[in-house]
Amino acid sequence: MVKYNEVGGFMKKIEDYVSNISFEEAYVKIDRNKIDYLIKGDSNAKFPIRIKKIGFLAISLFMPIMMILSYTSAKDNLVTTVFSRTIAITTATSLILISLFSYFKSRHFLKNYGYKEFIYSSLKILFLSYICGSIGTVDSNYIIHLVTIIIYVPTCLYLCYIVEKNMLIEYINLTFGKEYKTNKILSLLVKMAGIIMILGLVIVHLYRINKSWIDKDSINDSINGLGVSMTLIVIAGAFFMIIISLLPTYISFKADLRIQNKLVIKYSEEFREMYGYYKEEWYGE
């Protein structure tokens, strides 16, 4: 298994793996259609990439902006303090800045690849906004709630990071016939996130159809009858929350596009000449 002792070291390892791929190997696996997709996207798309990016920008900004509006107005139905409002507004502002940074950063990539990366970034920001949405609301367990979020968010971000890198290594192994070590547990976690998403959709659909049949008291009695301790419920809940943090990665992280982008940039002139792109078309001059 890969040892994830240092995030920076792991990132360097990915770059080393990409550097070990020759142009000849890259050329066999990356044809002109794939490069066109990195640059232009789907030729049959109804909306241009720029419009779609603005749409995802609006989605990623919606919840942080609503947080700021809610906590600055301090409505009667929200129990807050100056400290909690400051934390909430600072968090929301940070998410807005990260979203804007991701948007402008994506403009420096190949056009469609930058759009795909921005979708991934937007979904992560949307997830974090949902997790942090109530961070300014005070209750009897506010400090515990705040500490939980402070621990949970960095944990999720780190987990997403190492899962991304594991997926990149898996793609390199599968596509270029390498045998670099990967972490099977991380691969399993991503698959579990997909299963949970599908089950969640099914459960929500069934609940909407049959909610009048569901007796909450009988469900609670059944759980108590199984003798499940609160400790086990908390552990299971924590594990579930960790898994669902990988949903943005499962849905929108494209390991193939990221590696292809790295190789196209590395062998930029070679690919341009081999596939006959004009300099103006290739470099956007």
PDB file of all heavy atoms in Angstrom, residues 163 167 170 184-198 243 246-247 250:
ATOM      1  N   VAL A 163      -7.520  10.323  -1.679  1.00  0.00           N
ATOM      2  CA  VAL A 163      -8.323   9.493  -2.582  1.00  0.00           C
ATOM      3  C   VAL A 163      -8.087   9.920  -4.029  1.00  0.00           C
ATOM      4  O   VAL A 163      -7.959   9.076  -4.928  1.00  0.00           O
ATOM      5  CB  VAL A 163      -9.815   9.579  -2.218  1.00  0.00           C
ATOM      6  CG1 VAL A 163     -10.683   9.024  -3.346  1.00  0.00           C
ATOM      7  CG2 VAL A 163     -10.096   8.807  -0.939  1.00  0.00           C
ATOM      8  N   MET A 167      -6.609   7.537  -6.977  1.00  0.00           N
ATOM      9  CA  MET A 167      -7.296   7.338  -8.254  1.00  0.00           C
ATOM     10  C   MET A 167      -6.385   7.670  -9.430  1.00  0.00           C
ATOM     11  O   MET A 167      -6.438   7.008 -10.481  1.00  0.00           O
ATOM     12  CB  MET A 167      -8.565   8.197  -8.300  1.00  0.00           C
ATOM     13  CG  MET A 167      -9.647   7.748  -7.327  1.00  0.00           C
ATOM     14  SD  MET A 167     -11.054   8.893  -7.230  1.00  0.00           S
ATOM     15  CE  MET A 167     -11.774   8.686  -8.862  1.00  0.00           C
ATOM     16  N   GLU A 170      -4.084   4.737  -9.866  1.00  0.00           N
ATOM     17  CA  GLU A 170      -4.819   3.628 -10.474  1.00  0.00           C
ATOM     18  C   GLU A 170      -4.975   3.841 -11.978  1.00  0.00           C
ATOM     19  O   GLU A 170      -4.839   2.893 -12.766  1.00  0.00           O
ATOM     20  CB  GLU A 170      -6.197   3.494  -9.816  1.00  0.00           C
ATOM     21  CG  GLU A 170      -6.160   2.930  -8.411  1.00  0.00           C
ATOM     22  CD  GLU A 170      -7.541   2.802  -7.798  1.00  0.00           C
ATOM     23  OE1 GLU A 170      -8.452   3.559  -8.202  1.00  0.00           O
ATOM     24  OE2 GLU A 170      -7.714   1.952  -6.914  1.00  0.00           O
ATOM     25  N   LYS A 184      -5.966  -0.089  -1.531  1.00  0.00           N
ATOM     26  CA  LYS A 184      -7.244  -0.725  -1.842  1.00  0.00           C
ATOM     27  C   LYS A 184      -8.368  -0.211  -0.948  1.00  0.00           C
ATOM     28  O   LYS A 184      -9.531  -0.171  -1.359  1.00  0.00           O
ATOM     29  CB  LYS A 184      -7.120  -2.245  -1.702  1.00  0.00           C
ATOM     30  CG  LYS A 184      -6.053  -2.877  -2.591  1.00  0.00           C
ATOM     31  CD  LYS A 184      -6.304  -2.591  -4.059  1.00  0.00           C
ATOM     32  CE  LYS A 184      -5.248  -3.255  -4.940  1.00  0.00           C
ATOM     33  NZ  LYS A 184      -5.436  -2.908  -6.375  1.00  0.00           N
ATOM     34  N   ILE A 185      -8.021   0.184   0.271  1.00  0.00           N
ATOM     35  CA  ILE A 185      -9.047   0.692   1.190  1.00  0.00           C
ATOM     36  C   ILE A 185      -9.634   1.993   0.654  1.00  0.00           C
ATOM     37  O   ILE A 185     -10.852   2.208   0.681  1.00  0.00           O
ATOM     38  CB  ILE A 185      -8.458   0.898   2.598  1.00  0.00           C
ATOM     39  CG1 ILE A 185      -8.045  -0.450   3.196  1.00  0.00           C
ATOM     40  CG2 ILE A 185      -9.464   1.597   3.504  1.00  0.00           C
ATOM     41  CD1 ILE A 185      -7.384  -0.344   4.551  1.00  0.00           C
ATOM     42  N   LEU A 186      -8.772   2.868   0.133  1.00  0.00           N
ATOM     43  CA  LEU A 186      -9.258   4.128  -0.430  1.00  0.00           C
ATOM     44  C   LEU A 186     -10.137   3.879  -1.650  1.00  0.00           C
ATOM     45  O   LEU A 186     -11.150   4.557  -1.846  1.00  0.00           O
ATOM     46  CB  LEU A 186      -8.074   5.024  -0.801  1.00  0.00           C
ATOM     47  CG  LEU A 186      -7.214   5.527   0.363  1.00  0.00           C
ATOM     48  CD1 LEU A 186      -6.063   6.372  -0.155  1.00  0.00           C
ATOM     49  CD2 LEU A 186      -8.052   6.330   1.354  1.00  0.00           C
ATOM     50  N   SER A 187      -9.758   2.915  -2.459  1.00  0.00           N
ATOM     51  CA  SER A 187     -10.585   2.565  -3.620  1.00  0.00           C
ATOM     52  C   SER A 187     -11.961   2.081  -3.171  1.00  0.00           C
ATOM     53  O   SER A 187     -12.985   2.422  -3.771  1.00  0.00           O
ATOM     54  CB  SER A 187      -9.900   1.475  -4.450  1.00  0.00           C
ATOM     55  OG  SER A 187      -8.619   1.892  -4.878  1.00  0.00           O
ATOM     56  N   LEU A 188     -11.982   1.297  -2.098  1.00  0.00           N
ATOM     57  CA  LEU A 188     -13.242   0.780  -1.569  1.00  0.00           C
ATOM     58  C   LEU A 188     -14.115   1.904  -1.021  1.00  0.00           C
ATOM     59  O   LEU A 188     -15.339   1.900  -1.210  1.00  0.00           O
ATOM     60  CB  LEU A 188     -12.959  -0.249  -0.474  1.00  0.00           C
ATOM     61  CG  LEU A 188     -14.177  -0.879   0.209  1.00  0.00           C
ATOM     62  CD1 LEU A 188     -15.020  -1.639  -0.814  1.00  0.00           C
ATOM     63  CD2 LEU A 188     -13.737  -1.805   1.339  1.00  0.00           C
ATOM     64  N   LEU A 189     -13.500   2.887  -0.368  1.00  0.00           N
ATOM     65  CA  LEU A 189     -14.261   3.999   0.199  1.00  0.00           C
ATOM     66  C   LEU A 189     -14.999   4.775  -0.888  1.00  0.00           C
ATOM     67  O   LEU A 189     -16.150   5.182  -0.704  1.00  0.00           O
ATOM     68  CB  LEU A 189     -13.330   4.935   0.976  1.00  0.00           C
ATOM     69  CG  LEU A 189     -12.766   4.408   2.298  1.00  0.00           C
ATOM     70  CD1 LEU A 189     -11.843   5.441   2.929  1.00  0.00           C
ATOM     71  CD2 LEU A 189     -13.886   4.041   3.269  1.00  0.00           C
ATOM     72  N   VAL A 190     -14.338   4.981  -2.023  1.00  0.00           N
ATOM     73  CA  VAL A 190     -14.984   5.702  -3.125  1.00  0.00           C
ATOM     74  C   VAL A 190     -16.177   4.915  -3.644  1.00  0.00           C
ATOM     75  O   VAL A 190     -17.249   5.473  -3.911  1.00  0.00           O
ATOM     76  CB  VAL A 190     -13.979   5.969  -4.261  1.00  0.00           C
ATOM     77  CG1 VAL A 190     -14.676   6.615  -5.448  1.00  0.00           C
ATOM     78  CG2 VAL A 190     -12.854   6.866  -3.776  1.00  0.00           C
ATOM     79  N   LYS A 191     -16.010   3.603  -3.785  1.00  0.00           N
ATOM     80  CA  LYS A 191     -17.116   2.766  -4.252  1.00  0.00           C
ATOM     81  C   LYS A 191     -18.268   2.783  -3.251  1.00  0.00           C
ATOM     82  O   LYS A 191     -19.446   2.804  -3.639  1.00  0.00           O
ATOM     83  CB  LYS A 191     -16.628   1.342  -4.480  1.00  0.00           C
ATOM     84  CG  LYS A 191     -15.628   1.219  -5.628  1.00  0.00           C
ATOM     85  CD  LYS A 191     -15.099  -0.196  -5.759  1.00  0.00           C
ATOM     86  CE  LYS A 191     -14.067  -0.290  -6.881  1.00  0.00           C
ATOM     87  NZ  LYS A 191     -13.482  -1.650  -6.996  1.00  0.00           N
ATOM     88  N   MET A 192     -17.933   2.791  -1.969  1.00  0.00           N
ATOM     89  CA  MET A 192     -18.969   2.848  -0.939  1.00  0.00           C
ATOM     90  C   MET A 192     -19.739   4.160  -1.014  1.00  0.00           C
ATOM     91  O   MET A 192     -20.954   4.196  -0.789  1.00  0.00           O
ATOM     92  CB  MET A 192     -18.344   2.671   0.447  1.00  0.00           C
ATOM     93  CG  MET A 192     -17.833   1.273   0.724  1.00  0.00           C
ATOM     94  SD  MET A 192     -17.077   1.124   2.361  1.00  0.00           S
ATOM     95  CE  MET A 192     -18.499   1.396   3.413  1.00  0.00           C
ATOM     96  N   ALA A 193     -19.036   5.242  -1.337  1.00  0.00           N
ATOM     97  CA  ALA A 193     -19.712   6.536  -1.486  1.00  0.00           C
ATOM     98  C   ALA A 193     -20.747   6.466  -2.601  1.00  0.00           C
ATOM     99  O   ALA A 193     -21.862   6.990  -2.475  1.00  0.00           O
ATOM    100  CB  ALA A 193     -18.688   7.632  -1.779  1.00  0.00           C
ATOM    101  N   GLY A 194     -20.387   5.805  -3.697  1.00  0.00           N
ATOM    102  CA  GLY A 194     -21.336   5.638  -4.793  1.00  0.00           C
ATOM    103  C   GLY A 194     -22.531   4.796  -4.396  1.00  0.00           C
ATOM    104  O   GLY A 194     -23.679   5.119  -4.744  1.00  0.00           O
ATOM    105  N   ILE A 195     -22.269   3.716  -3.655  1.00  0.00           N
ATOM    106  CA  ILE A 195     -23.362   2.849  -3.199  1.00  0.00           C
ATOM    107  C   ILE A 195     -24.295   3.611  -2.265  1.00  0.00           C
ATOM    108  O   ILE A 195     -25.524   3.517  -2.371  1.00  0.00           O
ATOM    109  CB  ILE A 195     -22.792   1.598  -2.497  1.00  0.00           C
ATOM    110  CG1 ILE A 195     -22.044   0.721  -3.512  1.00  0.00           C
ATOM    111  CG2 ILE A 195     -23.903   0.800  -1.819  1.00  0.00           C
ATOM    112  CD1 ILE A 195     -21.271  -0.420  -2.880  1.00  0.00           C
ATOM    113  N   ILE A 196     -23.712   4.386  -1.348  1.00  0.00           N
ATOM    114  CA  ILE A 196     -24.521   5.165  -0.407  1.00  0.00           C
ATOM    115  C   ILE A 196     -25.372   6.194  -1.147  1.00  0.00           C
ATOM    116  O   ILE A 196     -26.532   6.430  -0.804  1.00  0.00           O
ATOM    117  CB  ILE A 196     -23.614   5.848   0.634  1.00  0.00           C
ATOM    118  CG1 ILE A 196     -23.081   4.797   1.612  1.00  0.00           C
ATOM    119  CG2 ILE A 196     -24.368   6.941   1.394  1.00  0.00           C
ATOM    120  CD1 ILE A 196     -22.083   5.333   2.604  1.00  0.00           C
ATOM    121  N   MET A 197     -24.799   6.814  -2.179  1.00  0.00           N
ATOM    122  CA  MET A 197     -25.562   7.789  -2.953  1.00  0.00           C
ATOM    123  C   MET A 197     -26.774   7.131  -3.612  1.00  0.00           C
ATOM    124  O   MET A 197     -27.894   7.659  -3.559  1.00  0.00           O
ATOM    125  CB  MET A 197     -24.675   8.425  -4.021  1.00  0.00           C
ATOM    126  CG  MET A 197     -25.390   9.488  -4.852  1.00  0.00           C
ATOM    127  SD  MET A 197     -24.360  10.161  -6.174  1.00  0.00           S
ATOM    128  CE  MET A 197     -24.292   8.743  -7.284  1.00  0.00           C
ATOM    129  N   ILE A 198     -26.553   5.962  -4.211  1.00  0.00           N
ATOM    130  CA  ILE A 198     -27.653   5.255  -4.879  1.00  0.00           C
ATOM    131  C   ILE A 198     -28.706   4.818  -3.864  1.00  0.00           C
ATOM    132  O   ILE A 198     -29.910   5.009  -4.073  1.00  0.00           O
ATOM    133  CB  ILE A 198     -27.113   4.042  -5.653  1.00  0.00           C
ATOM    134  CG1 ILE A 198     -26.212   4.513  -6.800  1.00  0.00           C
ATOM    135  CG2 ILE A 198     -28.258   3.191  -6.196  1.00  0.00           C
ATOM    136  CD1 ILE A 198     -25.462   3.402  -7.488  1.00  0.00           C
ATOM    137  N   ILE A 243     -17.732   8.893   4.809  1.00  0.00           N
ATOM    138  CA  ILE A 243     -17.965   8.330   3.476  1.00  0.00           C
ATOM    139  C   ILE A 243     -18.658   9.336   2.560  1.00  0.00           C
ATOM    140  O   ILE A 243     -18.262   9.519   1.403  1.00  0.00           O
ATOM    141  CB  ILE A 243     -18.804   7.038   3.561  1.00  0.00           C
ATOM    142  CG1 ILE A 243     -18.025   5.932   4.277  1.00  0.00           C
ATOM    143  CG2 ILE A 243     -19.205   6.566   2.161  1.00  0.00           C
ATOM    144  CD1 ILE A 243     -16.769   5.508   3.572  1.00  0.00           C
ATOM    145  N   LEU A 246     -16.966  11.953   0.402  1.00  0.00           N
ATOM    146  CA  LEU A 246     -16.338  11.559  -0.862  1.00  0.00           C
ATOM    147  C   LEU A 246     -17.310  11.618  -2.045  1.00  0.00           C
ATOM    148  O   LEU A 246     -16.913  11.307  -3.170  1.00  0.00           O
ATOM    149  CB  LEU A 246     -15.769  10.141  -0.748  1.00  0.00           C
ATOM    150  CG  LEU A 246     -14.571   9.972   0.192  1.00  0.00           C
ATOM    151  CD1 LEU A 246     -14.203   8.498   0.312  1.00  0.00           C
ATOM    152  CD2 LEU A 246     -13.381  10.776  -0.294  1.00  0.00           C
ATOM    153  N   LEU A 247     -18.550  12.001  -1.793  1.00  0.00           N
ATOM    154  CA  LEU A 247     -19.516  12.067  -2.892  1.00  0.00           C
ATOM    155  C   LEU A 247     -19.083  13.020  -4.009  1.00  0.00           C
ATOM    156  O   LEU A 247     -19.194  12.667  -5.193  1.00  0.00           O
ATOM    157  CB  LEU A 247     -20.899  12.457  -2.361  1.00  0.00           C
ATOM    158  CG  LEU A 247     -21.682  11.340  -1.660  1.00  0.00           C
ATOM    159  CD1 LEU A 247     -22.999  11.871  -1.122  1.00  0.00           C
ATOM    160  CD2 LEU A 247     -21.929  10.173  -2.611  1.00  0.00           C
ATOM    161  N   TYR A 250     -16.520  11.135  -5.981  1.00  0.00           N
ATOM    162  CA  TYR A 250     -17.122  10.043  -6.745  1.00  0.00           C
ATOM    163  C   TYR A 250     -17.865  10.579  -7.969  1.00  0.00           C
ATOM    164  O   TYR A 250     -17.793  10.004  -9.060  1.00  0.00           O
ATOM    165  CB  TYR A 250     -18.086   9.255  -5.855  1.00  0.00           C
ATOM    166  CG  TYR A 250     -18.859   8.188  -6.595  1.00  0.00           C
ATOM    167  CD1 TYR A 250     -18.281   6.956  -6.889  1.00  0.00           C
ATOM    168  CD2 TYR A 250     -20.168   8.426  -7.017  1.00  0.00           C
ATOM    169  CE1 TYR A 250     -18.987   5.985  -7.586  1.00  0.00           C
ATOM    170  CE2 TYR A 250     -20.879   7.459  -7.710  1.00  0.00           C
ATOM    171  CZ  TYR A 250     -20.284   6.237  -7.992  1.00  0.00           C
ATOM    172  OH  TYR A 250     -20.989   5.285  -8.686  1.00  0.00           O
TER     173      TYR A 250
END
